[in-house]
Structure formats: C-alpha cells, structure tokens
C-alpha cells in the first residue's frame, strides 16, 4: 500500500479543486485548466526523484506549469487555505472521506449530469485518489496522528520560506518515496549509467546514488548503482567493494528467486549464486580471467547442488563471453595446465560446443535475452573463424559442402539470419513484457466440461510461437529481459556492419551503423554507439579521406563528450597512424602505433583483436621506414599467432602484408608466394576487397619483372577493376588506377599512345586526385610526373606545364609533411 505523505495530501487538494468545476470556474481559464490537469497527471506519475518535493517546491513547479502568474498565485492561495483548514486529525479523516465521494463508476452510472465534478474510478486521477484514500483509511491511529504532525511541519516550513526566513532546523524532514518507487528509480538510474556514461559527467550520473545514500542508507540497492557506476568508470577497487557491500547488506532482504526445486533449500542460496555471477561479470569486465573463472565455477557448483537451471544458463553465457573475448593463452582453468599454451586454438571447439548448449538451454528455459546473446555469439563465431552455421540446415543427414568458401558464405548468411531473428524476438518480448499474462486456469470441477485450454500469451496474438517468458518468471524479469533483448538487437546491426566490412561492401556497412544510431540510440549502451561512430569514421575515410573521418569523429565527440571508449580511441589512433603513413611522417606513425599498442590490454583478456591491429600498425611503420627485415620477422610471428588462434581473417591480411614487405625490399619473386596465397584464400573466403588488393600487388609484381609483362598486369587489373571502383576505398582505387596506367604505358606503342592519350591520362589524373585526397603527396607527385611525361610525348605542352607545376607543388608539400 501507499505510505501517505503530506505531498499526497497536497495533490489530493489540487485534484479536488480540479475535479470540482465550480471551485476554479472564475479563477482559471480553459488554457490554464488544461495546464493544471497536465501538471497533476505528471505529478501523480512522477518517479524520477528520490524524495517528494517540499510544499515550496510544489508551488514553484505549479507556477512554472501555468502560463499565467495570477492564476498560479490564486491556485497556490487556494492550496494553502485548504491545507490550513486541516487543524485536527479528524479533519484528515473528513477530508479523505470527502475525496472518496468524487469517484464515479461509468459501468454502473450512465447519467452524465450525475458524473460532473468527479473522476472515473479507472482513470489515472481516479486510481490515484482511490489509492490515497484506501491507504489512509488503513493507517493506525498513531500513524494518522504522525501524518497530521508531518503535515503541520510541512505547512510551517513553507510559511517560513514564503516570508523570507529559513525554516528551523529539523522542522520538516525530507520525505522519501516508498521502497517500490525507490527500487524502480534505481533500476532506471542503472539503465542511465549504461546509456549515458559517455554523455554526462560522472558526477551527474552518480548524484542520485549519493543523495539516496545520504537520505536512506538502509536501501541496499544504492551500492549496486554505485557498482554499475564504478564499472563504467573503470574503477576496479570501487566496483568490487560496492558489489561486496550490496550482497552483504541485502542478504535475507531480497525476495527469493523461484528455482526448480525448493525442498530443503535455504532462501539465501539463490542470492549467493547471483553474487558469484555478478562478481564473475565484474572480473571479466576488467580482464581478470582467472578470477572470473573461479567465481563462475563456484556459481556453477552451487547452482548444480540446488538445481538452479537459470543460474546455470547465465553461467554458461558468462563463460562464452570470456572464451570469445579473451586470447586462448589467457584461459587455462578450463583445460589441463599447459594445454592452452600448447594448442591455443584448442578452445575453439569447446567454445562452439558451449555456445550451442547455452542457446539450447536458454530456449528451453524461455530466457529470450540469453537466447539472443548465444544466437549472436554463434553468428560472430562463424564470421570470425569461417565456420558454417547450422541454423539454416534442415536436413542434418545431407552432406554439407566443405571448404572455406561454404563456411564464409554460410557465416555471412548466418549473421543476416541472426539479425532478423533478433528483431522478431525483440518485438515479441516487448509485447509480452507490456501485458501481464493471466493466471493459469483452474482445473474444472467434477462433472463440468474440461475444455479449458492452456493460457494464451501475447505472442500467440500475432504468431504461432510459444510464450516468450516462462510462466513462473519473477515479477519484473519480463521487462528487464525485453530491455536486454532490445540492446542486443541494436548490437546485432553492429555485427552486421562488421560482416559487410569483411565482404567489402562499404555502403551497407555504413547503412547498418546508421541503422543502429537511428533506431537504437536511446536503448543502446554508450560503448555500442561509440563503436557505430568508429565504423562510420572508417567508412568516411575510405570514401572521402581523413577530413571526412575527422568530421565523423567530431560528431562522436559532440554526442559522447565524456566517453573513454576503446573503440573510439582505437579508431582515432588508427586513422592518425594511417594519415601519418600516407604523409610519409615515420616519426608520427611510430608514435601513434605505440599509443595504439598501449591501448590494447596487456593480457589480451578483454579484446584480443586490438593488439593484432596495433602490431600490424607497427609492422607497417617498419615497412615505411625501410626496416624490411624487422618488419618481415614481426609480421611472420604475428601470422603464426593468428593461425594458431584460428583468426583466419587477420592471418590472410598478414599474408598480403608479408608479400608487400618483400616486394618493397626488392624481392618480387619472394613476395609472389605470399601474394598468391592471400589471393587464393581471400577469394575462397569471399573477401572481395582483400582479393582485389592482392590482385593489385600481383600486377605490381608483373610490372616489376619488366615491360614485357605489362599485358598480364593489365589483364589482372581489369579483372578486379569493377570491384575496386564499386566498393574499394580511395587508396585502393588510386593504386589500381596508377598501376593500370603504368601497365598501359608498358604495352602501348608510341603511335597508340599518340592516337589515344586519354586512355592513360584519365587513370593517372584519377590516381593523382585520390592520392592528394589522402594527403599522400609523394605518390600524387609521381602520378603528376607521369602525366607530364605522357603529355610531353604527345606534344601537349599546356597540360605538361600544368602537370609539372603540380609536381613541384606536391613535392614541396611532401617534404613539408615529412618534416613536421
């Protein structure tokens, strides 16, 4: 029931004046009457403050809600007069008895005149009045006298403040909302921690927890809110300390979660499993894999002893998260000692098996959030490790096609199918959480027809699927699970963007990232939004250069001004490193590569791919500085690590990098096997842009073998030119156009060149513009030099002089860029 406070009495006074049309007929206009009604509806539904406002605060809010100051003053005077009339506890009894007379039942009374000056019992105002009246009449005599005393102090404090004096100390204590409202508020604040952690300052996010900890230190959930804040601020000691405090202080006070078998089970056992799962999640967040595994193992042991299948399913999900994000060498407690070091890829079959088991258990237990997590994790696993998904295979006895091509193709289809399934389940979960299921029908009495069927679910109104949530799910779990599914549905579009990026389709990558920002920005975490902006920045750089990418990052900084997202930092450092490489500034490139490596987790327990990207950046820096032996050795070691860990995408990229290193070192024949191997694997894996990049490198090798191989180089380039021009980034397009022009010059005679100079000049001009957009002034100058040579050979002096002028300008810019 409602714990009646003086604030409720004030709202009831205003509601009575609002519902009695004669009381405000000569005071409030029609517009003011509407504004007063809106204000009252907002106040009776307010759940965003820890404590009820004082009478002065309520009057100030009332003045702000009404457009006319005179109207606000008259209503405030009416409120003070009505409250002043409550001089004895019996006046409160009379007041609430009169309030009960304002109720009308539209189902039983159809006389319109008799319903004037009241509220329908099913309306928001009517429900609030009934709630207040019933709660007051259930108060004991001492509690009613206490309410009367609080009301007198409530009025006196307002009178002192209206007269310009400060209220005496302790005259009116702040009235906190009831426990249910406080817990709902804390749940909202924890959701705000996740969505606004990079938008608002840290002090603003923890303000509600600090205020409530000061006013009501007995509310244990405040420590859980502080724990969430510490997680987003990367404060390990505070996160663990507040988590311990929460579970220590809340033991025995929480409603036991229903488990499969409660015979002889202590109520706090379920609480202990939740504590261990939360501790394991916190340790995983900070990259402490071994500590997380210890907590999860203990949670699994206790859950198995007490047949808690829900806790076991969540432990499986946490274990899957650890195995999918941490490097193989960081996980040693699941196998015998030394196994992970001897065979780093040995955990991949185990991860796949646990993921499938987690998905099956979540489906059986009707846990949609856990099912979506496992579904997306399986799609990501197939995408990263090039294994086929078995969700689309109906006939298990049919032999499946083997090979990387089938795995890659089915992996991409699996991601798309997972995104669609997640979207459908999101809608079903939202509908199921919005409407509570009716209770199960009772068994028919003897002699009566037993035609009572099973309960219908919300999902059954639209599809033939079974109920989304379990029938014995605790109250509040449905909305929380639906919110989690909605967040995962937004993350699914980021996974789809990563899938399109591997396939080489930049436009669809951009579309998926924009879909996430446009449709899920209110529910998505700040980390997911930062990842979406990072993906958009890479797409902008590939299409329009570094200035466009900087504009995207500026928008991200404006939307997430307080974000410390590793995804955004890695994108910013990676773009800065690429720009330094194009400008030929080796010192800055080495600096940014070192910073990118410092951003990666030292133990590879949080994100195993970030270190690979940072080390690739270091290898490219060594390549630019001419330290070919060191670059080849580092790339070879990195390739072996990626191969052992089953990271096929990164391994194929490193094959091309090894070929480019040997090619730059003047050993094209040594580079040829690496480039051919990359071309073969990228074609099998349907990595079209990487295959096109390898084809360009192969064409460069043909050209390096002499002018007699220009025809082979031109044929190789023309075979991939549609892919390059359609989906390639600016750098790849410029390189392809440059190599095509060189191949045409190698195979064309002087007469053919004079007859059709535009066939060579146009690719060179496109290449020069592309390199200039990337601030690669050295290659742009090389393209302008070739333009000048071609124009001189065809006696086009004006274009030759213009190209020569551009050559000198770009050469000077290249020297300036390398010197700064």
């Amino acid at each position: 029931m409602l714990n009646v406070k003086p604030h409720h009495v004030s709202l009831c006074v205003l509601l009575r004046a609002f519902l009695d049309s004669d009381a405000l007929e000569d005071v409030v206009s029609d517009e003011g009457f509407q504004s007063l009604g809106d204000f009252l509806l907002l106040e009776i539904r307010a759940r965003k403050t820890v404590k009820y406002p004082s009478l002065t605060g309520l009057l100030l809010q009332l003045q702000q809600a009404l457009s006319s100051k005179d109207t606000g003053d008259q209503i405030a005077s009416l409120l003070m007069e009505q409250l002043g009339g409550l001089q004895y506890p019996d006046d409160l009894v009379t007041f609430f008895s009169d309030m009960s007379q304002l109720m009308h039942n539209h189902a039983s009374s159809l006389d319109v005149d008799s319903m004037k000056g009241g509220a329908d019992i099913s309306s928001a105002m009517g429900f609030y009045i009934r709630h207040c009246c019933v709660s007051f009449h259930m108060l004991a005599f001492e509690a009613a006298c206490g309410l009367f005393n609080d009301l007198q102090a409530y009025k006196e404090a307002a009178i002192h403040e209206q007269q310009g004096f400060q209220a005496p100390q302790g005259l009116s204590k702040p009235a906190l909302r009831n426990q249910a409202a406080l817990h709902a508020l804390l749940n909202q604040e924890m959701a705000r921690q996740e969505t606004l952690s990079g938008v608002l300052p840290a002090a603003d996010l923890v303000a509600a927890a600090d205020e409530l900890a000061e006013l009501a230190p007995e509310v244990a959930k405040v420590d859980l809110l502080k724990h969430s804040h510490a997680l987003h601020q990367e404060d390990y000691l505070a996160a663990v300390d507040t988590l311990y405090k929460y579970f220590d202080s809340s033991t025995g006070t929480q409603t036991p979660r229903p488990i499969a078998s409660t015979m002889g089970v202590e109520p706090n056992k379920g609480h202990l499993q939740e504590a261990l799962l939360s501790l394991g999640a916190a340790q995983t967040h900070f990259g402490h894999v071994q500590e997380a595994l210890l907590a999860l193992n203990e949670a699994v042991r206790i859950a198995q002893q007490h047949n808690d299948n829900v806790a076991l399913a969540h432990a499986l999900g946490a274990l899957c998260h650890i195995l999918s994000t941490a490097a193989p060498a960081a996980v040693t407690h699941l196998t015998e000692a030394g196994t992970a070091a001897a065979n780093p890829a040995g955990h991949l079959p185990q991860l796949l098996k646990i993921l499938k088991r987690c998905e099956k258990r979540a489906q059986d237990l009707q846990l949609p959030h856990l099912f979506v997590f496992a579904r997306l994790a399986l799609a990501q696993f197939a995408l990263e490790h090039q294994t086929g998904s078995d969700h689309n295979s109906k006939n298990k006895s049919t032999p499946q096609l083997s090979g990387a091509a089938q795995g890659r193709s089915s992996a991409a289809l699996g991601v798309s199918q997972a995104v669609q399934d997640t979207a459908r389940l999101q809608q079903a979960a939202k509908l199921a959480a919005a409407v509570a299921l009716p209770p199960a029908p009772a068994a028919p009495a003897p002699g009566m027809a037993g035609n009572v069927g099973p309960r219908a679910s919300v999902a059954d109104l639209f599809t033939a699927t079974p109920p989304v949530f379990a029938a014995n799910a605790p109250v509040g779990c449905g909305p929380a699970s639906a919110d989690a599914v909605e967040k995962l549905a937004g993350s699914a579009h980021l996974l789809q963007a990563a899938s399109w990026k591997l396939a080489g389709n930049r436009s669809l990558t951009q579309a998926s990232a924009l879909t996430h920002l446009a449709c899920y920005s209110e529910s998505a975490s700040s980390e997911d939004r930062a990842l979406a902006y990072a993906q958009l920045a890479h797409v902008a750089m590939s299409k329009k250069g570094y200035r466009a990418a900087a504009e995207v990052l500026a928008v991200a900084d404006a939307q997430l001004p307080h974000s410390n997202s590793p995804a955004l930092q890695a994108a910013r450092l990676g773009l800065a490193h690429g720009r330094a490489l194009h400008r030929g500034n080796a010192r800055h490139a080495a600096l940014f590569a070192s910073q990118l490596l410092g951003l990666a987790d030292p133990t590879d327990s949080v994100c195993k791919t970030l270190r690979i990207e940072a080390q690739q950046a270091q290898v490219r820096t060594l390549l630019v500085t001419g330290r070919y032996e060191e670059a080849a050795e580092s790339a070879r070691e990195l390739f072996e690590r990626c191969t052992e860990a089953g990271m096929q995408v990164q391994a194929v990229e490193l094959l091309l990098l090894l070929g480019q290193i040997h090619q730059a070192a003047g050993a094209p024949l040594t580079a040829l096997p690496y480039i051919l191997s990359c071309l073969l694997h990228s074609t099998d894996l349907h990595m079209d842009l990487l295959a096109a990049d390898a084809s360009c490198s192969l064409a460069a090798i043909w050209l390096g073998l002499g002018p007699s191989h220009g025809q082979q180089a031109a044929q190789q380039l023309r075979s991939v030119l549609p892919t390059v021009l359609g989906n390639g980034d600016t750098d790849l397009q410029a390189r392809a156009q440059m190599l095509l022009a060189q191949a045409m010059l190698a195979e064309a005679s002087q007469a053919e060149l004079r007859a059709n100079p535009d066939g060579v000049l146009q690719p060179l001009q496109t290449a020069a513009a592309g390199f200039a957009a990337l601030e690669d002034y050295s290659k742009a100058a090389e393209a302008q030099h070739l333009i000048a040579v071609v124009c001189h050979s065809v006696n086009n002096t004006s274009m030759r002089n213009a190209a020569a002028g551009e050559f000198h300008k770009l050469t000077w810019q290249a020297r300036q860029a390398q010197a700064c």
Side-chain angles (χ1 to χ4, degrees), residues 380-393:
Q380 183 176 4
F381 181 90
L383 189 67
E384 291 179 351
H385 304 289
Q386 311 308 329
T387 60
S389 175
D390 59 353
H391 288 281
N392 298 322
S393 56

Side-chain angles (χ1 to χ4, degrees), residues 445-802:
M448 297 183 64
N451 58 353
V452 180
R455 285 192 303 169
S457 69
V458 177
D460 292 332
L461 299 176
F462 303 94
T463 63
T465 59
V468 178
F469 303 110
N472 61 342
V475 178
C477 288
S481 180
D483 292 341
V485 171
E486 186 176 4
K487 288 183 176 65
L488 290 170
S491 302
H493 287 280
L494 299 179
L495 179 61
Q496 182 75 82
S499 175
W500 289 125
K501 181 181 178 182
L502 289 179
N505 197 320
R506 311 277 181 183
S507 299
L508 291 179
T509 301
Q510 181 181 14
S512 297
L514 287 174
T515 300
H516 177 273
L517 291 176
C519 301
Y520 298 93
S521 59
E522 295 183 358
S523 61
S525 65
S526 58
E527 184 63 32
D528 280 351
R529 282 184 289 167
L531 179 57
Y533 280 116
Q535 292 175 339
L536 289 176
H538 283 293
V539 173
M541 188 280 297
S542 65
K543 287 186 173 182
K544 298 183 179 180
Y546 293 104
R547 292 184 180 179
E551 293 177 358
V552 174
L553 292 177
V555 174
D557 292 337
Q559 295 293 325
L560 304 169
H562 303 279
S563 175
N564 294 321
S565 169
L568 267 183
Q569 296 181 35
R572 186 174 285 107
L573 289 174
L575 292 173
H577 175 264
R579 184 183 183 189
L581 288 181
H582 280 116
R583 293 169 66 91
N585 194 324
R587 182 171 61 87
H588 285 179
L591 176 63
F592 292 131
S594 300
Q595 292 179 357
L596 190 60
L597 185 62
L599 185 64
D601 180 37
T603 60
D604 292 339
S605 301
V606 178
C607 182
K608 58 188 176 183
T609 59
L610 184 55
R611 176 173 293 275
I612 301 297
E613 296 175 2
Q615 291 178 337
Q616 283 187 7
Q618 286 189 326
V619 172
R620 295 184 188 279
T621 304
L622 294 174
L623 173 61
V624 170
T625 56
R627 298 159 64 180
Y628 302 121
E629 293 183 0
E630 296 181 33
E633 184 64 26
S634 300
R636 192 175 297 108
E637 293 177 359
L638 195 57
F639 171 77
E640 293 175 356
R641 285 172 47 197
C642 292
T643 304
E644 292 174 351
M647 305 172 68
Q648 299 183 16
V649 174
Q650 290 80 2
V652 176
E653 292 175 349
L654 286 167
L655 281 175
L656 178 60
L657 183 57
L658 278 167
Q660 291 173 347
I661 291 172
H662 289 290
Q663 185 179 357
L669 296 180
T670 307
L672 188 59
Y674 293 104
I675 294 177
L676 289 175
S677 179
C678 174
L679 181 59
L680 175 63
H681 287 90
S682 58
T683 302
D684 290 341
L685 297 175
H686 295 275
M687 301 173 65
D688 298 335
L689 282 185
L690 189 60
D693 198 351
S695 297
C696 291
S697 298
L698 183 59
I701 291 179
W702 282 117
L703 290 174
L705 295 178
S708 60
H709 298 280
Q711 184 177 1
Q712 291 90 335
Q715 291 177 352
Q716 187 72 35
L717 289 169
R718 291 189 179 100
S719 64
V720 297
L721 200 58
T723 301
V724 171
L725 297 180
N727 297 315
D729 56 18
T730 305
D731 181 70
L732 182 58
Q733 290 183 11
R735 285 177 50 220
Q737 296 280 16
M738 185 85 161
L739 290 170
L740 182 60
Q742 291 175 348
M744 294 173 65
L745 286 174
E747 65 175 345
S749 63
Q750 185 68 21
E752 293 175 344
L753 186 60
R754 287 179 179 274
N756 185 21
D758 293 337
V760 178
L761 291 176
Q762 188 173 2
L764 287 174
Q765 291 171 349
T766 304
F771 287 131
L774 294 172
E775 301 179 24
D776 194 344
Y777 302 117
S778 298
K779 291 184 179 179
E782 182 182 353
Q784 293 291 347
H785 175 263
L786 286 177
I787 292 175
V789 170
V790 173
C791 291
H792 179 75
S793 64
V794 297
N795 296 325
N796 191 339
T797 57
S798 60
M799 186 177 291
R800 180 199 63 188
N801 294 337

Side-chain angles (χ1 to χ4, degrees), residues 207-223:
D210 293 338
E211 181 183 11
L212 190 56
E214 181 180 354
L215 297 175
E218 70 277 2
V219 180
K221 209 167 189 177
V222 177
D223 292 321

Side-chain angles (χ1 to χ4, degrees), residues 222-282:
V222 177
D223 292 321
L224 190 60
L225 177 59
K226 291 184 176 181
H227 167 71
S228 176
H229 176 75
L231 282 180
H232 291 97
Q233 297 302 316
E234 302 295 333
D235 190 344
Y236 173 74
L237 295 178
V240 175
D241 182 60
T242 51
L243 188 64
Y244 286 161
K245 285 182 179 178
Y246 168 69
F247 282 103
D248 288 344
S249 58
S250 62
T251 301
T253 63
Q254 301 291 324
T255 302
R257 175 169 48 82
I259 55 180
S261 176
T262 57
M263 296 295 295
V265 179
E266 299 179 17
N268 292 332
K269 287 298 183 181
H271 197 57
L272 179 58
Q273 291 146 220
E274 294 173 358
L276 290 169
L277 289 174
S278 301
L279 179 61

Side-chain angles (χ1 to χ4, degrees), residues 355-420:
L355 279 173
K356 292 181 179 179
R357 182 182 176 188
C358 180
E359 182 188 31
K360 182 65 169 60
R361 294 300 297 155
Q363 186 176 9
D364 294 340
L365 297 173
Q366 294 178 302
L367 301 172
H369 60 285
L370 193 60
F371 174 81
V372 170
F373 164 78
R375 186 78 170 82
L376 294 177
L378 280 169
Q380 183 176 4
F381 181 90
L383 189 67
E384 291 179 351
H385 304 289
Q386 311 308 329
T387 60
S389 175
D390 59 353
H391 288 281
N392 298 322
S393 56
K394 302 297 182 183
N395 188 2
K396 299 297 181 181
S397 63
T398 303
Q400 298 296 316
L401 295 177
S402 59
Q406 175 66 16
R408 176 65 177 164
S409 177
S410 58
L413 292 176
V415 171
S416 300
Q417 187 63 42
V419 173
Q420 297 175 15

